[in-house]
Structure formats: C-alpha cells, structure tokens
Amino acid sequence: MTKQVFTSFEEIDQRLTILKLQREIDKEQLRLHVNRTKANFYPTNLFGGLSGIAQKLIISFVAKKILKRFS
C-alpha cells in the first residue's frame, strides 16, 4: 500500500468516506455469499440432483417389468 500525502482535511474526509463505502460494499458481498452458500446446502437443493437419478431408475425398472410381461 502506498503512503498518501494529504494537503487538506477535505481530502482526508473524502478518503475516509470512500473507505467506509468500500467496507460497506464488502460486508454486503460477504452477506450475499453466505446466504448463497446457505441456500446451496438446503436439503431440497442437495437432493435435487438425486431425485432426477431416482426418477430415471424407477422409470427404467417399470419399463423392464412391462417389457418382461409382453415377452
């Protein structure tokens, strides 16, 4: 980090305001990431991929049973 030289108090105030806003933005981004992570770990999202696999297995099982009856 480079050392800044300020010539007035207004420059210092402006820089402090910028840093404060950057900190608030970073906090909100962190909250957003935490909420997205929580949402990804909900049971419905975790097992969402498993339901598709289960459906395919059930359909293939039923199809095999039906084909065996017609054979």
Side-chain angles (χ1 to χ4, degrees):
M1 188 172 178
T2 60
K3 191 173 185 180
Q4 291 185 340
V5 178
F6 298 104
T7 58
S8 69
F9 285 110
E10 284 124 16
E11 288 180 12
I12 296 171
D13 288 338
Q14 184 182 20
R15 182 68 182 149
L16 288 173
T17 303
I18 291 170
L19 290 172
K20 180 181 175 186
L21 291 172
Q22 286 176 340
R23 185 176 51 191
E24 288 177 19
I25 290 170
D26 290 340
K27 281 182 184 179
E28 288 300 319
Q29 285 179 339
L30 181 63
R31 285 184 189 138
L32 178 65
H33 291 300
V34 167
N35 288 335
R36 283 183 182 167
T37 303
K38 283 181 184 178
N40 287 336
F41 284 109
Y42 283 147
T44 54
N45 290 338
L46 285 176
F47 296 115
L50 293 178
S51 68
I53 295 169
Q55 286 176 353
K56 289 178 185 176
L57 289 173
I58 291 170
I59 290 171
S60 65
F61 177 75
V62 170
K64 285 180 186 178
K65 290 288 185 180
I66 291 173
L67 289 175
K68 283 183 181 179
R69 286 188 182 181
F70 288 119
S71 301

